[in-house]
Amino acid sequence: MSMTFFTPGPAQLYPTFETHLQTFVNNQLGSISHRSQQYRDLHKFTVDQLRILLNVPDTHAIMFLGSASEAWERIIFSCVELESFHLVNGSFSKKFCEYTTALNKYAHTMEKPMGSGFTAAEITVPEYAELICTTHNETSSGVQMPVSEIHKLKQKNPDKLIAVDIVSSAPYPDLDYSLIDTAFFSVQKAFGLPAGLGVWIVSEKCLHKAEYIRNQYSIGAHNDLPTLWKNALNNETPSTPNVMGIYLLGKIAEDFNKIGVKTIRKETEQKAALIYKFLEKTSGFSPFVKEKPNRSQTVIVTDTEINSADIIKKVKEKGMVIGSGYGSFKATQLRIANFPATSTEQVEKLLSELGKL
Amino acid sequence: MSMTFFTPGPAQLYPTFETHLQTFVNNQLGSISHRSQQYRDLHKFTVDQLRILLNVPDTHAIMFLGSASEAWERIIFSCVELESFHLVNGSFSKKFCEYTTALNKYAHTMEKPMGSGFTAAEITVPEYAELICTTHNETSSGVQMPVSEIHKLKQKNPDKLIAVDIVSSAPYPDLDYSLIDTAFFSVQKAFGLPAGLGVWIVSEKCLHKAEYIRNQYSIGAHNDLPTLWKNALNNETPSTPNVMGIYLLGKIAEDFNKIGVKTIRKETEQKAALIYKFLEKTSGFSPFVKEKPNRSQTVIVTDTEINSADIIKKVKEKGMVIGSGYGSFKATQLRIANFPATSTEQVEKLLSELGKL
């Protein structure tokens, strides 16, 4: 039976994935040299499509890593000489913070419980923190930080660099890159692709910071920012990249651009509204995140009255896969991804089955 | 026109690649959770097949990274507190050495010109070097270090850790892992897969060294060895891996095991002998590596009398792609990959066309 995946990543593959994969295979693109013009054209196509989709200005490079987690490390290496500041309200924002500690830098934190969000007004960034680390969408708890709050936070702290984790929300958040120094995502979430590729959007300011830090501390050896940047200017990567992933990402981004990112964002909000409305009115369910502006539009988390494993099992029998709660919430919550790969009809079918439980 | 790639990586895809890819797609494996039993079974299958193929004992873990270049960094982080020692005779052994410097550790080197090889007898490892870094197959120059010399080098220096770059030769070298502390390769070479996955074979000794170093220095944050190891015990990875790459690698390794690694190694040697014999007897060509024991069996480099770009162009018209020389040898050399994906018949066809020039 063919299943529909509402899991928060790896997730449902985008409907055009198979066609693009077949083109990749037919054109033998898995064998081309990563130092050839053919590769550079492929690379440039993907960067150009992402630049249009996410409205990334020329002050920022778009680069490829093995995963979004690798971006955490490269950002700390490149943007933090001594101290960073992390907004922590879930497992992934916590991991970003732990990466800082593992690199022997000092991580200031402002912590809130799972399910809570942050507003710019309540945040005081410590004086010596060089980088503010924010998570637009906490995949573990289904909390989003509104883009307007992220922008305000930077406007309040113009001398600090700001990093935004958009792993499980891009291309939904409409970030203003004149305010955002760096952001990153992976392809197995809203882009509906198999995992194995991270995308790092990074400004010249971060590059200059990395070059400055390099005079005194190591900024890493593999995919260090100045080397990545130099290669990106030539539409290349320092080592052999995931060419298949980069190709497929370019084609999906092109598909998104044909639909229009505004339409994709609107459809995301409409589907999210359907799901939250269902959870609010249906007994046995209630949205985990209480404050509406903090409710994620792409990863929706609900408390469940009965053991969520039973719900997952019953829904699976109907051909749909939903995610369990994260960590200690495994048995008492569900996580429902709302990415472009799942249509309104598929969401309605899911809610219909959940309603019959 | 369908082309046959004799390029040193990305290279010709293995003939069974498309079938395995189709199975991956049909079974929706691109959507499964990397924390599910289904994923853990897939992961274990690949590790088990590689363990059989490369004869890796249980003292060593087999782990997955974004690329083999990432392994360079993780090895230096994990195995070198202060000083390493590098045998450098080409561009890739040099890069390994540069990674050490970039991580602010001291790199001792023994350097030889491109085309030359090393014997254990001539090597004196500096007293304070903690790790010996060797390259079994220098992809840039077509020099191999015989496995027997690598083993002897460790036997002469039992207190040092030894790392072996088998990026463009695995599964050809029959390493004795009771002597080898760590080795690594990527999948876009002899395994005939699209790029985007590195494999790191690493011993408990390296793990203990990493745990020791961690008390005083950073050993990195992303894919640090103790975290990778802990996850590997559960057939998982710390962050979402390239599931497609891991699946395909397991299936190709299984195919290799069905043929038998001895047969694959023998066929590799037979095809290499055909190529070297042709280069020696044909005017206009001569093998770059003069010492026969140092001649790579998997990446064969030849000097050319005429500009190699002209040869590449003419061969391409006949449906075959060969590699140019590396770096400053670009115009005066050819690199011909000899991986399992290209058959004896395909090699004969290539030599026949080269003979007509």
Side-chain angles (χ1 to χ4, degrees), chain A residues 3-15 17 139 167-168 186-196 298-299 321-323 335-342, chain B residues 24-25 27-34 240-241 243:
Chain A
M3 308 293 282
T4 305
F5 286 82
F6 292 90
T7 45
Q12 180 73 13
L13 300 185
Y14 198 67
F17 160 72
T139 320
V167 167
S168 56
S186 46
V187 301
Q188 76 274 15
K189 311 281 186 180
F191 285 85
L193 285 172
T298 50
V299 179
V321 185
I322 47 180
R335 288 185 299 159
I336 301 170
N338 176 37
F339 297 143
T342 47
Chain B
F24 181 88
V25 171
N27 292 338
Q28 296 187 280
L29 297 177
S31 297
I32 65 169
S33 167
H34 57 297
T240 320
V243 180

Side-chain angles (χ1 to χ4, degrees), chain A residues 1-5 7 9-13 17-18 21-22 24-26 28-35 38 66-70 73-74 77 95 98-100 102-104 188-189 193-196 216-223 238-244 248 316, chain B residues 1-5 7 9-13 17-18 21-22 24-26 28-35 38 66-70 73-74 77 95 98-100 102-104 188-189 193-196 216-223 238-244 248 316:
Chain A
M1 175 164 61
S2 176
M3 308 293 282
T4 305
F5 286 82
T7 45
Q12 180 73 13
L13 300 185
F17 160 72
E18 283 192 46
L21 183 65
Q22 195 59 57
F24 181 87
V25 171
N26 292 348
Q28 297 187 283
L29 297 177
S31 297
I32 66 168
S33 166
H34 58 297
R35 301 295 176 220
Q38 192 178 7
S67 68
S69 309
E70 190 184 348
E73 186 183 59
R74 298 301 132 181
F77 265 136
K95 278 191 188 169
E98 288 166 351
Y99 269 47
T100 301
L103 295 177
N104 286 352
Q188 76 274 15
K189 311 281 186 180
L193 285 172
Q216 190 152 8
Y217 300 97
S218 172
I219 55 168
H222 180 61
N223 286 337
S239 57
T240 320
N242 182 342
V243 179
M244 186 192 272
L248 294 171
K316 197 168 186 178
Chain B
M1 175 165 60
S2 176
M3 309 294 282
T4 306
F5 287 82
T7 45
Q12 180 73 12
L13 301 184
F17 160 72
E18 283 193 47
L21 183 65
Q22 196 58 59
F24 181 88
V25 171
N26 292 348
Q28 296 187 280
L29 297 177
S31 297
I32 65 169
S33 167
H34 57 297
R35 302 295 176 217
Q38 192 178 5
S67 68
S69 310
E70 190 184 348
E73 186 183 59
R74 296 302 132 182
F77 265 136
K95 278 191 188 169
E98 288 166 353
Y99 269 47
T100 301
L103 295 178
N104 286 352
Q188 76 275 14
K189 311 281 187 181
L193 286 171
Q216 189 152 7
Y217 299 98
S218 172
I219 54 167
H222 179 61
N223 285 338
S239 57
T240 320
N242 182 343
V243 180
M244 186 191 272
L248 294 171
K316 198 168 185 180

